[in-house]
Amino acid sequence: MKQSRMLIPTQKQDPTGAEALSHRMLLRAGYIQQVSAGTYAYLPLAYRVLEKIERIIKRAMDDSGACEMLVPEIIPAQFWQDSGRYDTYGDELFKLKNRHDTEFILGPTHEETFTELIKSSVKSYKKLPLNLYQIQSKFRDEDRPRYGLLRSREFLMLDSYSFSANEADLDQIYKEMRGAFEAIFNQIGLSYRGIIGDSGSMGGSDSMEFSAPAAVGEDTIVYSNDSEYAANLEMATNMFVPQKSHAEAQPLELVDTSDVKTIDQVTEFFDVHPDQVVKSLLYLADEQPVIVLTRGDQVANEAKLKHVLGADTLELATPAQAAELLDVQPGAVGPFDLSAETRVIADEYVQPMVNAIVGANQTGKHYQGFNPTRDLPDLEYADVRTVKEGDISPDGSGELQFTKGIEIGHIFKLGTRYSKVLGADILDENGRQQPIIMGCYGIGVSRLLSAVAEQQADENGLVWPTAIAPFDVHVIPTNVKKEEQAELATQITTSLEEAGFEVLVDDRKERAGVKFADSDLIGVPIRVTIGKKADEGIVEVKIRKTGETVETKVDDLQNTIKILAKEI
Amino acid sequence: MKQSRMLIPTQKQDPTGAEALSHRMLLRAGYIQQVSAGTYAYLPLAYRVLEKIERIIKRAMDDSGACEMLVPEIIPAQFWQDSGRYDTYGDELFKLKNRHDTEFILGPTHEETFTELIKSSVKSYKKLPLNLYQIQSKFRDEDRPRYGLLRSREFLMLDSYSFSANEADLDQIYKEMRGAFEAIFNQIGLSYRGIIGDSGSMGGSDSMEFSAPAAVGEDTIVYSNDSEYAANLEMATNMFVPQKSHAEAQPLELVDTSDVKTIDQVTEFFDVHPDQVVKSLLYLADEQPVIVLTRGDQVANEAKLKHVLGADTLELATPAQAAELLDVQPGAVGPFDLSAETRVIADEYVQPMVNAIVGANQTGKHYQGFNPTRDLPDLEYADVRTVKEGDISPDGSGELQFTKGIEIGHIFKLGTRYSKVLGADILDENGRQQPIIMGCYGIGVSRLLSAVAEQQADENGLVWPTAIAPFDVHVIPTNVKKEEQAELATQITTSLEEAGFEVLVDDRKERAGVKFADSDLIGVPIRVTIGKKADEGIVEVKIRKTGETVETKVDDLQNTIKILAKEI
């Protein structure tokens, strides 16, 4: 492909207002162009990358037995009113009316549409399971679009919906989809983590988020440096490794601590390390008092607490509430002398503590010599702490590390959430009417392009993995006015194309410096420079990612590139 | 592909409300499903056809040097306000606002968006020409959607936009696009006609419409039965073949005809054939009187008249206007004794008439013995007649025939229509600022699917040409409960797939009759039936289009299919 026939408006300078590396480089390299706030044109280079991503996705989806189709992007508002999402989705929904005043929305996702289609076409378990997918523009009226394609108002998404008559089939499809998604991200050449979802890590395995580590990510991901383990910070766990103390147990002793309240004050007062202090916090869980104990060097995790307590709401008690419920100030709360309605939950790490300091539940008093198993033998233990970098991964393999991440995919077991409210029933094997069991599976296609750019670009421009690069080879005659260079460029391009490579040839009458800078911006994996040694039949091959260069005879070029293409 | 894993909701009965054959059969065969009035889901079979159509389109576009990209479907209303189309497009535009009250439209076409993109990224003739295309959902708020995909509110369309610095480049791209479109329609296996557009047939060659003959078409197309010639009825011409008369010229003689007004009355009164009468009609062209003469057996064509006269408006004069302007009744109008401001245009066929009858421009009087070249030597002649079936094609090859047609594509030379109003200028070779010269080229992708169905379906269902059939072969074991049939089906499917065929295998536990009916509806070109002779290794091969069947040994099946696939 001749570069002169493509629209590639590269920019020498960083565009203003583009914070994220991917956004900046996609603009500078002429891949995308803003049309309105939060909407972008995918110019020819970006489109080629998107097409390759889509091809990888489609192959993996088809191989897993899913079937591609396409539903309208405008959705009758009624569908979403029936499912209850018309209101809950709120301002992020683009709404419109047709000329006859019928209300529509622009689809951000299509659970309702697919459910309605299946409802009217499938009546029996015999026609199931089905897994149906599409790749299509989706819409979300973001309040503040940012980071280019990462948070935009119109974006490309794969969405797949599975329909089955029983849980076993859902489990099977969910497993297939997880495998397909992993295969897709691996093939694209993206670094990612599969994160077991909120409900998943605590209960069954209802959802999984796929996240690509990147500086501009909006979530904190916790992952093991030596295993597959990954989780969002609020759900992450670590391996409970009790530290054994061989100290002799001291008697429990009430100490007058007057104004001592915070952990820092306690450690100073008793001259101990925070891991010898038990921190007591009073929460209101669904308006019932709960005292939560953690080791002084650890932090309570409210998401985990809510799960352990099965609570819908959880709030730290105000001083007034503490005074009213326990007759103490918050700093003096402790797990002693409590009324029957006050529940106590201790983190696992509290259990092996020996001779700890703990609030006495009396204003101005602490206990020292607290030995939980001896002094409070009925204490309830659970994992209610927030993990820290360096903690041991819950699978025992490696240490936990933190990173920011971009959500690139999500798989959900929906169960009967949509089929029930929309009345999508089938007759089961026993002739009984049952709601269809559903799953949904999504990948942010245009997000993937940005995520890869975010992970792999450098300050000179984009760097594409071979699987999704817009071209395999960038051929650059440094001076097309020199006939032998122009001819050699044509000859090389033709022979590489015949060998199956996709070649971009810079046929522009630009200076060599401009061409090299543009080439770095565009980020094709392999560059072939036709320069002064063209008349000797020698060209230079450069690897965009590493910057390595090698001179090669034109006759050897194809082989050199074949070898390099495999290595990159 | 197993039929049980695809969503193919076939229907035994014709759905209500579907008039067009394609609409009826696409619904019955489980290809499409209505989501709301004028919007349809493309179910997996339809999606496969669409994908093949898109692949054919993309290959032809890429081969012609066009570059694929993608712009947002939501367009800032401002773009269309600037171009003037926001108002002229009227109610067919879907309009919406985002949460910050910015106005958008859903794009029915994207001249403005592409022009704006080029405006901000291309400043010099050196970066041109460019031809950029996309395939994407488009939106039109049709008042009354009908005929399924043929007139829908959301549809798939290819739209390509060319940008050049001079007319020669536009001419070249226009020519390439015409070639590409013809290649596309030919490859798809569609019968079509290229129709030179309105302005084209009269002036340059500014636009061409591609139309697929079909009963439900909304336009009347005139075409030659022996050449490429085709035109819309209002623009069609025929070859002017003057009939020579050897009769001796009679003198011009005024005849009292009292109440005789219509052609029928005139022919009866004078006992002549209509081709011996000159019909005179009084028009107001931009409010100026014009008398139009045609032979009595021919009909004036107002579109052609407007072009010949260069008039914006053209209306037949009312009796009152005729009386006021010429002081005669309309039935007595004639090309005589006229004021200087009354122009006379005669159709070419009037010129060779000998001894004709014509209105005398006096109430109750006609002339006989009218010989135009003798009696009105300064008469102005032009082609202002409406063609008839049986006329000779203007290229002299074949006779004209009429048919209804579906518009499937259109190519336009836009010139500076958009670049001027939107300010998309470049510096030309002489450093002068010039508006960019544009062209646009569109194909209705989802319409193509319907057009093919419309042309090729029969009363048993769809019949797909091999190039776009959802599968190449439909394998039908009549009874999957019989182990040898199920096994043979798997074996045949695998071996055909390995040979490169796309195979749909009906693995459902349905009766043979149901399977055959569904197979006819679905319309895969070749069917392989595995029935009672399965244990002898014999299967039946059937051509969907012709209904021909042949029995073949399983060992010969692949060869048989290869031969048939080429023949169909």
Side-chain angles (χ1 to χ4, degrees), chain A residues 33 42 47 51 58 70 73 99-100 120 141 143 154, chain B residues 33 42 51 58 68 70 73 99-100 120 141 143 154:
Chain A
Q33 206 170 325
Y42 306 104
Y47 192 79
E51 259 208 320
K58 288 178 179 201
L70 194 62
E73 294 173 11
R99 61 159 81 195
H100 303 309
S120 60
D141 192 359
D143 190 15
E154 181 173 341
Chain B
Q33 207 169 326
Y42 306 105
E51 259 208 321
K58 289 179 178 200
E68 190 167 8
L70 194 63
E73 294 173 11
R99 60 160 81 195
H100 304 309
S120 59
D141 192 359
D143 189 15
E154 180 174 341

PDB file of all heavy atoms in Angstrom, chain A residues 33 42 47 51 58 70 73 99-100 120 141 143 154, chain B residues 33 42 51 58 68 70 73 99-100 120 141 143 154:
ATOM      1  N   GLN A  33      -8.885  10.718  14.824  1.00  0.00           N
ATOM      2  CA  GLN A  33      -9.123  12.150  14.747  1.00  0.00           C
ATOM      3  C   GLN A  33     -10.439  12.425  15.471  1.00  0.00           C
ATOM      4  O   GLN A  33     -11.423  11.709  15.252  1.00  0.00           O
ATOM      5  CB  GLN A  33      -9.181  12.564  13.266  1.00  0.00           C
ATOM      6  CG  GLN A  33      -8.802  13.991  13.000  1.00  0.00           C
ATOM      7  CD  GLN A  33      -8.632  14.272  11.499  1.00  0.00           C
ATOM      8  OE1 GLN A  33      -8.181  13.414  10.746  1.00  0.00           O
ATOM      9  NE2 GLN A  33      -9.000  15.456  11.075  1.00  0.00           N
ATOM     10  N   TYR A  42     -11.847   6.592  13.203  1.00  0.00           N
ATOM     11  CA  TYR A  42     -10.723   5.672  13.077  1.00  0.00           C
ATOM     12  C   TYR A  42     -10.199   5.838  11.662  1.00  0.00           C
ATOM     13  O   TYR A  42     -10.863   5.426  10.705  1.00  0.00           O
ATOM     14  CB  TYR A  42     -11.172   4.224  13.287  1.00  0.00           C
ATOM     15  CG  TYR A  42     -11.915   4.001  14.581  1.00  0.00           C
ATOM     16  CD1 TYR A  42     -13.295   3.852  14.596  1.00  0.00           C
ATOM     17  CD2 TYR A  42     -11.242   3.949  15.794  1.00  0.00           C
ATOM     18  CE1 TYR A  42     -13.992   3.657  15.774  1.00  0.00           C
ATOM     19  CE2 TYR A  42     -11.925   3.749  16.983  1.00  0.00           C
ATOM     20  CZ  TYR A  42     -13.301   3.605  16.971  1.00  0.00           C
ATOM     21  OH  TYR A  42     -13.989   3.406  18.137  1.00  0.00           O
ATOM     22  N   TYR A  47      -8.051   1.671  11.481  1.00  0.00           N
ATOM     23  CA  TYR A  47      -9.052   0.707  11.015  1.00  0.00           C
ATOM     24  C   TYR A  47      -8.406  -0.648  10.725  1.00  0.00           C
ATOM     25  O   TYR A  47      -8.987  -1.696  10.996  1.00  0.00           O
ATOM     26  CB  TYR A  47      -9.812   1.232   9.792  1.00  0.00           C
ATOM     27  CG  TYR A  47     -11.003   0.372   9.543  1.00  0.00           C
ATOM     28  CD1 TYR A  47     -12.149   0.541  10.315  1.00  0.00           C
ATOM     29  CD2 TYR A  47     -10.960  -0.670   8.627  1.00  0.00           C
ATOM     30  CE1 TYR A  47     -13.230  -0.293  10.158  1.00  0.00           C
ATOM     31  CE2 TYR A  47     -12.042  -1.509   8.472  1.00  0.00           C
ATOM     32  CZ  TYR A  47     -13.175  -1.308   9.234  1.00  0.00           C
ATOM     33  OH  TYR A  47     -14.247  -2.159   9.092  1.00  0.00           O
ATOM     34  N   GLU A  51      -9.506  -4.053  12.448  1.00  0.00           N
ATOM     35  CA  GLU A  51      -9.915  -5.219  11.657  1.00  0.00           C
ATOM     36  C   GLU A  51      -9.181  -6.472  12.098  1.00  0.00           C
ATOM     37  O   GLU A  51      -9.751  -7.554  12.135  1.00  0.00           O
ATOM     38  CB  GLU A  51      -9.628  -4.962  10.180  1.00  0.00           C
ATOM     39  CG  GLU A  51     -10.846  -4.556   9.403  1.00  0.00           C
ATOM     40  CD  GLU A  51     -10.722  -4.970   7.948  1.00  0.00           C
ATOM     41  OE1 GLU A  51      -9.621  -4.847   7.393  1.00  0.00           O
ATOM     42  OE2 GLU A  51     -11.743  -5.414   7.381  1.00  0.00           O
ATOM     43  N   LYS A  58     -13.282 -12.822  16.240  1.00  0.00           N
ATOM     44  CA  LYS A  58     -14.282 -13.643  15.551  1.00  0.00           C
ATOM     45  C   LYS A  58     -13.836 -15.090  15.454  1.00  0.00           C
ATOM     46  O   LYS A  58     -14.650 -16.008  15.628  1.00  0.00           O
ATOM     47  CB  LYS A  58     -14.544 -13.090  14.147  1.00  0.00           C
ATOM     48  CG  LYS A  58     -15.319 -11.782  14.168  1.00  0.00           C
ATOM     49  CD  LYS A  58     -15.523 -11.244  12.753  1.00  0.00           C
ATOM     50  CE  LYS A  58     -16.326  -9.947  12.803  1.00  0.00           C
ATOM     51  NZ  LYS A  58     -16.961  -9.632  11.527  1.00  0.00           N
ATOM     52  N   LEU A  70     -26.238  -9.611  14.166  1.00  0.00           N
ATOM     53  CA  LEU A  70     -26.192  -8.159  14.342  1.00  0.00           C
ATOM     54  C   LEU A  70     -27.591  -7.642  14.645  1.00  0.00           C
ATOM     55  O   LEU A  70     -28.517  -7.909  13.888  1.00  0.00           O
ATOM     56  CB  LEU A  70     -25.657  -7.518  13.055  1.00  0.00           C
ATOM     57  CG  LEU A  70     -25.222  -6.056  13.094  1.00  0.00           C
ATOM     58  CD1 LEU A  70     -24.071  -5.835  14.057  1.00  0.00           C
ATOM     59  CD2 LEU A  70     -24.828  -5.602  11.693  1.00  0.00           C
ATOM     60  N   GLU A  73     -28.850  -0.830  16.337  1.00  0.00           N
ATOM     61  CA  GLU A  73     -28.219  -0.005  17.367  1.00  0.00           C
ATOM     62  C   GLU A  73     -29.249   0.862  18.079  1.00  0.00           C
ATOM     63  O   GLU A  73     -29.042   1.257  19.211  1.00  0.00           O
ATOM     64  CB  GLU A  73     -27.126   0.849  16.725  1.00  0.00           C
ATOM     65  CG  GLU A  73     -26.000  -0.025  16.196  1.00  0.00           C
ATOM     66  CD  GLU A  73     -24.965   0.738  15.403  1.00  0.00           C
ATOM     67  OE1 GLU A  73     -24.976   1.978  15.411  1.00  0.00           O
ATOM     68  OE2 GLU A  73     -24.134   0.068  14.761  1.00  0.00           O
ATOM     69  N   ARG A  99     -40.019  10.155  14.312  1.00  0.00           N
ATOM     70  CA  ARG A  99     -40.979  11.192  13.896  1.00  0.00           C
ATOM     71  C   ARG A  99     -42.386  10.924  14.405  1.00  0.00           C
ATOM     72  O   ARG A  99     -43.219  11.820  14.413  1.00  0.00           O
ATOM     73  CB  ARG A  99     -40.972  11.340  12.382  1.00  0.00           C
ATOM     74  CG  ARG A  99     -41.377  10.075  11.656  1.00  0.00           C
ATOM     75  CD  ARG A  99     -41.838  10.405  10.254  1.00  0.00           C
ATOM     76  NE  ARG A  99     -40.728  10.579   9.325  1.00  0.00           N
ATOM     77  CZ  ARG A  99     -40.870  11.140   8.130  1.00  0.00           C
ATOM     78  NH1 ARG A  99     -42.047  11.589   7.742  1.00  0.00           N
ATOM     79  NH2 ARG A  99     -39.838  11.238   7.310  1.00  0.00           N
ATOM     80  N   HIS A 100     -42.640   9.668  14.806  1.00  0.00           N
ATOM     81  CA  HIS A 100     -43.966   9.365  15.349  1.00  0.00           C
ATOM     82  C   HIS A 100     -43.946   9.357  16.876  1.00  0.00           C
ATOM     83  O   HIS A 100     -44.810   8.785  17.520  1.00  0.00           O
ATOM     84  CB  HIS A 100     -44.463   8.025  14.804  1.00  0.00           C
ATOM     85  CG  HIS A 100     -44.515   7.987  13.302  1.00  0.00           C
ATOM     86  ND1 HIS A 100     -45.134   8.968  12.563  1.00  0.00           N
ATOM     87  CD2 HIS A 100     -44.008   7.108  12.406  1.00  0.00           C
ATOM     88  CE1 HIS A 100     -45.012   8.692  11.270  1.00  0.00           C
ATOM     89  NE2 HIS A 100     -44.319   7.573  11.145  1.00  0.00           N
ATOM     90  N   SER A 120     -39.132 -14.467  21.378  1.00  0.00           N
ATOM     91  CA  SER A 120     -40.137 -14.659  20.332  1.00  0.00           C
ATOM     92  C   SER A 120     -39.760 -15.761  19.345  1.00  0.00           C
ATOM     93  O   SER A 120     -40.554 -16.097  18.470  1.00  0.00           O
ATOM     94  CB  SER A 120     -40.392 -13.342  19.587  1.00  0.00           C
ATOM     95  OG  SER A 120     -39.213 -12.879  19.002  1.00  0.00           O
ATOM     96  N   ASP A 141     -23.412   8.089  26.924  1.00  0.00           N
ATOM     97  CA  ASP A 141     -23.311   9.547  27.027  1.00  0.00           C
ATOM     98  C   ASP A 141     -22.476   9.904  28.258  1.00  0.00           C
ATOM     99  O   ASP A 141     -22.991  10.373  29.267  1.00  0.00           O
ATOM    100  CB  ASP A 141     -24.719  10.153  27.102  1.00  0.00           C
ATOM    101  CG  ASP A 141     -24.700  11.661  26.919  1.00  0.00           C
ATOM    102  OD1 ASP A 141     -23.596  12.226  26.750  1.00  0.00           O
ATOM    103  OD2 ASP A 141     -25.782  12.274  26.954  1.00  0.00           O
ATOM    104  N   ASP A 143     -20.298  11.696  30.940  1.00  0.00           N
ATOM    105  CA  ASP A 143     -20.293  13.080  31.406  1.00  0.00           C
ATOM    106  C   ASP A 143     -19.004  13.760  30.970  1.00  0.00           C
ATOM    107  O   ASP A 143     -19.023  14.828  30.356  1.00  0.00           O
ATOM    108  CB  ASP A 143     -20.412  13.089  32.930  1.00  0.00           C
ATOM    109  CG  ASP A 143     -20.650  14.500  33.463  1.00  0.00           C
ATOM    110  OD1 ASP A 143     -21.006  15.381  32.664  1.00  0.00           O
ATOM    111  OD2 ASP A 143     -20.487  14.702  34.675  1.00  0.00           O
ATOM    112  N   GLU A 154     -18.852   6.913  21.804  1.00  0.00           N
ATOM    113  CA  GLU A 154     -19.201   5.901  20.805  1.00  0.00           C
ATOM    114  C   GLU A 154     -17.999   4.984  20.699  1.00  0.00           C
ATOM    115  O   GLU A 154     -16.875   5.459  20.518  1.00  0.00           O
ATOM    116  CB  GLU A 154     -19.502   6.570  19.453  1.00  0.00           C
ATOM    117  CG  GLU A 154     -19.893   5.577  18.373  1.00  0.00           C
ATOM    118  CD  GLU A 154     -20.369   6.247  17.078  1.00  0.00           C
ATOM    119  OE1 GLU A 154     -20.744   7.432  17.093  1.00  0.00           O
ATOM    120  OE2 GLU A 154     -20.349   5.548  16.048  1.00  0.00           O
TER     121      GLU A 154
ATOM    122  N   GLN B  33     -35.242 -10.744  11.801  1.00  0.00           N
ATOM    123  CA  GLN B  33     -36.331 -10.678  12.759  1.00  0.00           C
ATOM    124  C   GLN B  33     -36.561  -9.206  13.071  1.00  0.00           C
ATOM    125  O   GLN B  33     -35.602  -8.456  13.292  1.00  0.00           O
ATOM    126  CB  GLN B  33     -35.914 -11.462  14.021  1.00  0.00           C
ATOM    127  CG  GLN B  33     -37.079 -12.018  14.800  1.00  0.00           C
ATOM    128  CD  GLN B  33     -36.619 -12.997  15.884  1.00  0.00           C
ATOM    129  OE1 GLN B  33     -35.640 -13.730  15.711  1.00  0.00           O
ATOM    130  NE2 GLN B  33     -37.302 -12.998  16.996  1.00  0.00           N
ATOM    131  N   TYR B  42     -30.213  -8.935  12.035  1.00  0.00           N
ATOM    132  CA  TYR B  42     -29.693  -9.884  11.055  1.00  0.00           C
ATOM    133  C   TYR B  42     -29.278 -11.112  11.838  1.00  0.00           C
ATOM    134  O   TYR B  42     -28.286 -11.082  12.572  1.00  0.00           O
ATOM    135  CB  TYR B  42     -28.478  -9.306  10.332  1.00  0.00           C
ATOM    136  CG  TYR B  42     -28.734  -7.947   9.699  1.00  0.00           C
ATOM    137  CD1 TYR B  42     -28.236  -6.788  10.277  1.00  0.00           C
ATOM    138  CD2 TYR B  42     -29.482  -7.830   8.533  1.00  0.00           C
ATOM    139  CE1 TYR B  42     -28.472  -5.541   9.710  1.00  0.00           C
ATOM    140  CE2 TYR B  42     -29.720  -6.594   7.958  1.00  0.00           C
ATOM    141  CZ  TYR B  42     -29.217  -5.453   8.556  1.00  0.00           C
ATOM    142  OH  TYR B  42     -29.445  -4.223   8.004  1.00  0.00           O
ATOM    143  N   GLU B  51     -21.661 -10.651   5.479  1.00  0.00           N
ATOM    144  CA  GLU B  51     -20.194 -10.686   5.565  1.00  0.00           C
ATOM    145  C   GLU B  51     -19.573 -10.980   4.204  1.00  0.00           C
ATOM    146  O   GLU B  51     -18.544 -10.417   3.855  1.00  0.00           O
ATOM    147  CB  GLU B  51     -19.762 -11.766   6.552  1.00  0.00           C
ATOM    148  CG  GLU B  51     -19.388 -11.207   7.899  1.00  0.00           C
ATOM    149  CD  GLU B  51     -18.364 -12.090   8.586  1.00  0.00           C
ATOM    150  OE1 GLU B  51     -18.480 -13.332   8.483  1.00  0.00           O
ATOM    151  OE2 GLU B  51     -17.454 -11.545   9.231  1.00  0.00           O
ATOM    152  N   LYS B  58     -15.239  -4.892  -0.080  1.00  0.00           N
ATOM    153  CA  LYS B  58     -13.946  -4.398   0.416  1.00  0.00           C
ATOM    154  C   LYS B  58     -12.809  -4.730  -0.546  1.00  0.00           C
ATOM    155  O   LYS B  58     -11.926  -3.919  -0.778  1.00  0.00           O
ATOM    156  CB  LYS B  58     -13.649  -4.996   1.793  1.00  0.00           C
ATOM    157  CG  LYS B  58     -14.535  -4.426   2.892  1.00  0.00           C
ATOM    158  CD  LYS B  58     -14.238  -5.067   4.235  1.00  0.00           C
ATOM    159  CE  LYS B  58     -15.111  -4.440   5.314  1.00  0.00           C
ATOM    160  NZ  LYS B  58     -14.571  -4.652   6.663  1.00  0.00           N
ATOM    161  N   GLU B  68     -10.075   1.938   3.621  1.00  0.00           N
ATOM    162  CA  GLU B  68     -11.191   1.817   4.568  1.00  0.00           C
ATOM    163  C   GLU B  68     -10.892   2.539   5.882  1.00  0.00           C
ATOM    164  O   GLU B  68      -9.766   2.550   6.358  1.00  0.00           O
ATOM    165  CB  GLU B  68     -11.471   0.337   4.850  1.00  0.00           C
ATOM    166  CG  GLU B  68     -12.765   0.145   5.628  1.00  0.00           C
ATOM    167  CD  GLU B  68     -13.248  -1.290   5.650  1.00  0.00           C
ATOM    168  OE1 GLU B  68     -12.502  -2.163   5.196  1.00  0.00           O
ATOM    169  OE2 GLU B  68     -14.376  -1.528   6.141  1.00  0.00           O
ATOM    170  N   LEU B  70     -13.408   4.504   9.434  1.00  0.00           N
ATOM    171  CA  LEU B  70     -14.710   4.483  10.109  1.00  0.00           C
ATOM    172  C   LEU B  70     -14.912   5.772  10.875  1.00  0.00           C
ATOM    173  O   LEU B  70     -14.061   6.142  11.683  1.00  0.00           O
ATOM    174  CB  LEU B  70     -14.755   3.282  11.070  1.00  0.00           C
ATOM    175  CG  LEU B  70     -16.099   2.859  11.640  1.00  0.00           C
ATOM    176  CD1 LEU B  70     -17.058   2.405  10.548  1.00  0.00           C
ATOM    177  CD2 LEU B  70     -15.907   1.734  12.650  1.00  0.00           C
ATOM    178  N   GLU B  73     -21.040   7.348  14.167  1.00  0.00           N
ATOM    179  CA  GLU B  73     -22.402   7.354  13.625  1.00  0.00           C
ATOM    180  C   GLU B  73     -23.187   8.552  14.130  1.00  0.00           C
ATOM    181  O   GLU B  73     -24.134   8.982  13.494  1.00  0.00           O
ATOM    182  CB  GLU B  73     -23.086   6.038  13.993  1.00  0.00           C
ATOM    183  CG  GLU B  73     -22.408   4.873  13.292  1.00  0.00           C
ATOM    184  CD  GLU B  73     -22.914   3.517  13.741  1.00  0.00           C
ATOM    185  OE1 GLU B  73     -23.935   3.442  14.447  1.00  0.00           O
ATOM    186  OE2 GLU B  73     -22.260   2.524  13.392  1.00  0.00           O
ATOM    187  N   ARG B  99     -26.123  14.820  27.149  1.00  0.00           N
ATOM    188  CA  ARG B  99     -26.525  15.318  28.464  1.00  0.00           C
ATOM    189  C   ARG B  99     -26.175  16.788  28.669  1.00  0.00           C
ATOM    190  O   ARG B  99     -26.706  17.428  29.563  1.00  0.00           O
ATOM    191  CB  ARG B  99     -25.905  14.470  29.565  1.00  0.00           C
ATOM    192  CG  ARG B  99     -24.386  14.465  29.526  1.00  0.00           C
ATOM    193  CD  ARG B  99     -23.837  14.042  30.868  1.00  0.00           C
ATOM    194  NE  ARG B  99     -23.842  12.599  31.052  1.00  0.00           N
ATOM    195  CZ  ARG B  99     -23.675  12.019  32.231  1.00  0.00           C
ATOM    196  NH1 ARG B  99     -23.526  12.760  33.313  1.00  0.00           N
ATOM    197  NH2 ARG B  99     -23.648  10.706  32.333  1.00  0.00           N
ATOM    198  N   HIS B 100     -25.257  17.309  27.830  1.00  0.00           N
ATOM    199  CA  HIS B 100     -24.927  18.727  27.941  1.00  0.00           C
ATOM    200  C   HIS B 100     -25.671  19.557  26.888  1.00  0.00           C
ATOM    201  O   HIS B 100     -25.276  20.674  26.581  1.00  0.00           O
ATOM    202  CB  HIS B 100     -23.418  18.928  27.801  1.00  0.00           C
ATOM    203  CG  HIS B 100     -22.634  18.127  28.801  1.00  0.00           C
ATOM    204  ND1 HIS B 100     -22.902  18.163  30.147  1.00  0.00           N
ATOM    205  CD2 HIS B 100     -21.598  17.246  28.651  1.00  0.00           C
ATOM    206  CE1 HIS B 100     -22.071  17.350  30.792  1.00  0.00           C
ATOM    207  NE2 HIS B 100     -21.282  16.775  29.909  1.00  0.00           N
ATOM    208  N   SER B 120      -9.446  19.525   8.259  1.00  0.00           N
ATOM    209  CA  SER B 120      -8.498  19.787   9.344  1.00  0.00           C
ATOM    210  C   SER B 120      -7.205  18.989   9.204  1.00  0.00           C
ATOM    211  O   SER B 120      -6.287  19.167   9.980  1.00  0.00           O
ATOM    212  CB  SER B 120      -9.154  19.503  10.692  1.00  0.00           C
ATOM    213  OG  SER B 120      -9.582  18.175  10.751  1.00  0.00           O
ATOM    214  N   ASP B 141     -35.069   8.191   9.354  1.00  0.00           N
ATOM    215  CA  ASP B 141     -36.355   8.084  10.046  1.00  0.00           C
ATOM    216  C   ASP B 141     -37.477   8.048   9.008  1.00  0.00           C
ATOM    217  O   ASP B 141     -38.220   9.013   8.853  1.00  0.00           O
ATOM    218  CB  ASP B 141     -36.514   9.262  11.011  1.00  0.00           C
ATOM    219  CG  ASP B 141     -37.684   9.064  11.970  1.00  0.00           C
ATOM    220  OD1 ASP B 141     -38.370   8.035  11.858  1.00  0.00           O
ATOM    221  OD2 ASP B 141     -37.909   9.941  12.817  1.00  0.00           O
ATOM    222  N   ASP B 143     -40.848   7.625   7.138  1.00  0.00           N
ATOM    223  CA  ASP B 143     -42.221   7.804   7.596  1.00  0.00           C
ATOM    224  C   ASP B 143     -42.915   6.453   7.634  1.00  0.00           C
ATOM    225  O   ASP B 143     -43.513   6.068   8.639  1.00  0.00           O
ATOM    226  CB  ASP B 143     -42.943   8.768   6.649  1.00  0.00           C
ATOM    227  CG  ASP B 143     -44.303   9.172   7.186  1.00  0.00           C
ATOM    228  OD1 ASP B 143     -44.559   8.941   8.386  1.00  0.00           O
ATOM    229  OD2 ASP B 143     -45.113   9.710   6.397  1.00  0.00           O
ATOM    230  N   GLU B 154     -32.827   1.639   9.903  1.00  0.00           N
ATOM    231  CA  GLU B 154     -31.394   1.438  10.172  1.00  0.00           C
ATOM    232  C   GLU B 154     -30.903   0.444   9.145  1.00  0.00           C
ATOM    233  O   GLU B 154     -31.516  -0.614   8.989  1.00  0.00           O
ATOM    234  CB  GLU B 154     -31.201   0.916  11.602  1.00  0.00           C
ATOM    235  CG  GLU B 154     -29.747   0.696  11.951  1.00  0.00           C
ATOM    236  CD  GLU B 154     -29.523   0.317  13.426  1.00  0.00           C
ATOM    237  OE1 GLU B 154     -30.423   0.555  14.267  1.00  0.00           O
ATOM    238  OE2 GLU B 154     -28.458  -0.232  13.719  1.00  0.00           O
TER     239      GLU B 154
END
